[in-house]
Amino acid sequence: MHKFCFFLFFIGLPAFLGQPLYGEKTALKIGEIPQIMSKFFRYHVEKKGLDAEIVQRCFALYLEQFDPDRCYLLEGECAPYLSITEKKAQAIALEMEKGNFSAFYELDALIARSIARADRLREGLFVAVLTISPAERTAGKRGEYARTEDELFHRMRLKLAQFYGAHVRHTKMDSPERKRQLVELFLLQIREKEFPYLGLHPSGEMLDTKEQEHMLSVRILKAFAKSLDAHSSYFSKQEALELRFHLEQQFEGFGIVIGNSIDGAFIVRIIPGSPAEQQGILAVNDRIVEIDGFSTRGLSFARVSDLMKKRASPQIHLGVQRQEAESVSDVFYVRLKKAPIVMDQERISVRYAPFGSGIIGCITLRSFYDNGQGVNSANDLQKAIAYLRSEGELQGLILDLRENGGGFLTQAVKVASLFMSSGVVVISKYGQDEIHYLRSIDPRKTYGGPLLVLTSKISASAAEIVAQSLQDYGLALVVGDVRTFGKGSIQHQTITSDNPDIYFKVTVGRYYTVSGKTTQMRGVIADIHIPTGFAPFSIGEEYLQHSLSPDSVPPAYEDSVADVDPRMHPWLSQHYLPYIQKKTTMYTDMLPHLRKNSQARIRKNPIYRAFLQNQDKIRKKLSGQSGIVIDWVRNFGLEELQVEEAMNVLKDIIYLQRQQEALSSEATR
């Protein structure tokens, strides 16, 4: 099911973040854009005013927002915007500062013409779906704009093929009629993306001029924010609510996750502890056929999810049909009330394996969250460690951050602090080279034994802070992909603020760990390579547009506390400075032996070998080689393989430590 477009009932997933939202309480006006831009410039670490470079980027990003798969626009149509001269761009910048955004009205006119052309070309898609090959279902998107209409049609066919491939594994395509329904669903979804550029509501009705102006303003601000750097963004209110959930891991809702197929919206998952689970009526694979009396038949997935989430009422009345229903009239009704839901099972998971007279533990932390009411990653991690200790003597620990994309910087500091005594965890540098130090001031360690941090190419931001901080101090070894994502920038955000006038995040600085090294672009380099499924793909900060360049600052192992109010120095001298964490080298001598053992185990493991061979095929295919057959379905049990190998590395560490302790004991006799 994971290949479908999922939607948490309270929230749209990131795939929807580029979509304008209708009916917001306050409509933006074009004339307000310069004032909003000025807010970004006040905060941004480097960009302090509108210039030719920002305008050039803004045009390219505006086109990218509309046509990321290069299925609409021709190269010749885009050229005037992608190769605009610095002189002309500067002139447009001056006009934009005055509130004149006529260039974007012209862009929208071009986009509207490309949509009309696409609608004409799509008339042949039903014939195309009948002849789709398995190879086309996994073809990647093209990087350049098309030169001809024939190329555009080919790309639409590939996009349809990928859509087909995502559905064919779970939905019967046993007749031309079923395939026709799939094409209709495909067209319904892409037309919803087109409607805002045509001034239309998802229902197809014309929007009033205020809403059209609002949507154009949102599109311009989104392109502008991204033109500053890879991580600055402008959000609508609904998008901000969605992101707030990810940061706080709680929301108010009904507790169902829905997916989409040619048979309509259906329940993918029921969230534990939610109103839907407590009622006990709904089941996975139930189809949603009515919402508050409105039939969902023929509606796109985005429209269905809009009906479910944009509600003033605290309850919802669903018409539901079982998967095995024999008649379309076989419908039952369920009424659900909204309630606060905390995503307990989404935040952290714990496992362990026996080892000697105790256990080796593994804790998976999926993000760095904090709801301001005690639900946060540091508290959950402490509880997880306490649980492991209740199960046996904790002889080694793996902190699994492979799919952790970050979160609150303060939580990264608190998590790192659980494994060290006092000391600097993060150094941050802002626009005027202003330096700040974030410290652990509690000398007590929650855990101080053998520790591995398991990472991947998508471990990012706060996850990279924790991994590199513990690596800097020599308190943990980092194992996983060769390096992590490489996001070493700090964002100010209004997403978790109460009733801000606008929702945005903007890059205000860079961060460094105690060594003075940044993770920006470089990522955290693994001490031991245990490749993940992300390894063959071009993932990381270096592949993003307009990323900040990396640099460094002086290390801070010897903390001078010069930045702290002198009135605090007596307290720091007594309670902080004597307990500063020293850099250790306890893993240094072990590393060659640990690497050799790990590589030998991976080579001898037939499943891991098969996985690595499949990765090599993926690399070759991505480089353009033809005739490569890849097993996309088999997962090789990779998650377990990596945890198992990390546990084996921990066992090696424990064994070597005991050897060293024995030798040291003999030497002192």
Side-chain angles (χ1 to χ4, degrees), residues 306-365:
D306 270 351
L307 285 173
M308 296 180 81
K309 70 183 179 180
K310 292 184 177 178
R311 316 184 70 263
S313 171
Q315 63 181 8
I316 194 168
H317 194 212
L318 300 178
V320 182
Q321 191 176 63
R322 290 279 186 238
Q323 184 181 33
E324 62 276 9
E326 296 181 0
S327 169
V328 293
S329 61
D330 188 9
V331 177
F332 64 94
Y333 293 89
V334 175
R335 193 177 298 276
L336 296 173
K337 290 186 177 181
K338 281 183 183 177
I341 300 172
V342 178
M343 301 292 283
D344 292 326
Q345 296 188 349
E346 305 296 324
R347 303 198 309 260
I348 199 166
S349 61
V350 186
R351 68 178 85 177
Y352 64 87
F355 178 68
S357 60
I359 61 171
I360 289 175
C362 177
I363 302 173
T364 300
L365 187 63

